[in-house]
Amino acid sequence: HLHGHSYWVLAEGPGKWDPEVANATANWVDPPMRDNAVVPNDSWLYVRFQATNPGIWFMHWYVKLLSNDSILLWIRNVNQLN
């Protein structure tokens, strides 16, 4: 889940992240826009977003259902901060 923004899901797939596979299978024409996504175990998600909302935002995801484990990524849009 990305706070403060929505994002386009360009591609997703099983196994280890491979940028060549992701770029070859990416939907650059009309990708669906989301504010959250479900990513199965041992898979990847390729997203794109425009940082148009000023501030410091975070993206987080839960490692497994009904768990306290999570991963957090801070995203700072510095071009629009004073």
Side-chain angles (χ1 to χ4, degrees):
H1 176 67
L2 176 59
H3 290 254
H5 298 83
S6 293
Y7 54 85
W8 293 276
V9 176
L10 301 177
E12 56 188 314
K16 186 178 177 182
W17 164 258
D18 182 341
E20 290 183 19
V21 171
N23 283 317
T25 61
N27 176 358
W28 297 101
V29 178
D30 60 350
M33 183 169 274
R34 301 282 185 259
D35 66 357
N36 61 41
V38 175
V39 183
N41 288 340
D42 299 320
S43 62
W44 52 267
L45 186 70
Y46 189 22
V47 301
R48 179 181 185 182
F49 74 97
Q50 291 180 315
T52 57
N53 194 358
I56 299 172
W57 301 97
F58 65 92
M59 173 181 269
H60 64 95
W61 54 97
Y62 298 100
V63 175
K64 55 187 172 182
L65 188 61
L66 301 176
S67 171
N68 290 330
D69 297 336
S70 63
I71 299 172
L72 178 66
L73 170 69
W74 289 97
I75 299 171
R76 181 177 177 199
N77 186 358
V78 296
N79 291 333
Q80 297 180 6
L81 288 177
N82 292 328

